[in-house]
Amino acid sequence: MSDDVLSIIPTDPQWQPGHEAVDRVVSLVEDLTPGGSDGVDVEIDVMWHDAMTAVECGGNLERIGCPLCRAAIDMEWWRDLLEAHGDEGFTTLAIEVPCCGGSTALDALDYDWPCGFARFEIAVWNPGRPWFREDELEALAARLGHPVKQIRARV
């Protein structure tokens, strides 16, 4: 059986909130995620990372495109990059893309299913819903004190 994970991360990959803000936003996340109808409990993990960490969409990722030349980026290159930085994270998101050799940033790549990078993440396991609505994201951001985006993974 696979799990669904709906993650909330700051739009700025370096930004981290204080603990009081996290308590406020987790309370709202609990209200917004009923869990699955199959009786699977919702689990909420709150994580602070020392370095920027990839928050990916898992098995939902279909394609990565280059923002410079619009070519598809090899998925093997992506997997190797994540594996190489899996333990220590990323000190920078600056990269040279393999397709055209241009310079860009990892968070600027065109992901077919949202992916991101963050030093803070709220991961909701089996949330019982596919996405948060825009007004819900705005409410989460207001409680956290910073704009957020969402990543949905199948693992």
Side-chain angles (χ1 to χ4, degrees):
M1 181 177 142
S2 62
D3 287 308
D4 289 317
V5 183
L6 185 55
S7 292
I8 301 300
I9 62 172
T11 56
D12 176 350
Q14 291 282 7
W15 189 83
Q16 291 183 315
H19 289 278
E20 288 181 15
V22 172
D23 292 342
R24 289 190 305 267
V25 78
V26 167
S27 173
L28 180 55
V29 169
E30 290 170 342
D31 292 343
L32 295 175
T33 52
S37 60
D38 56 2
V40 176
D41 289 334
V42 172
E43 179 182 328
I44 300 173
D45 292 332
V46 177
M47 295 162 277
W48 280 266
H49 304 287
D50 292 332
M52 291 175 287
T53 301
V55 182
E56 58 172 322
C57 63
N60 292 329
L61 185 61
E62 296 180 8
R63 179 183 187 278
I64 302 171
C66 175
L68 304 173
C69 71
R70 302 289 180 217
I73 293 178
D74 181 54
M75 297 296 260
E76 188 69 28
W77 175 85
W78 170 249
R79 284 193 277 304
D80 289 346
L81 184 68
L82 291 185
E83 187 175 316
H85 292 275
D87 292 333
E88 75 278 355
F90 294 85
T91 57
T92 179
L93 299 180
I95 56 159
E96 185 178 296
V97 285
C99 47
C100 63
S103 296
T104 189
L106 287 169
D107 58 344
L109 299 179
D110 298 324
Y111 298 98
D112 187 350
W113 274 77
C115 291
F117 296 84
R119 292 187 57 222
F120 174 77
E121 174 185 5
I122 299 173
V124 184
W125 291 79
N126 302 307
R129 61 180 303 163
W131 300 97
F132 290 110
R133 295 184 321 257
E134 191 60 38
D135 63 313
E136 293 169 332
L137 286 175
E138 290 171 5
L140 291 165
R143 287 201 182 181
L144 195 60
H146 193 280
V148 297
K149 64 182 189 175
Q150 59 187 328
I151 312 295
R152 182 174 175 82
R154 178 159 302 259
V155 293

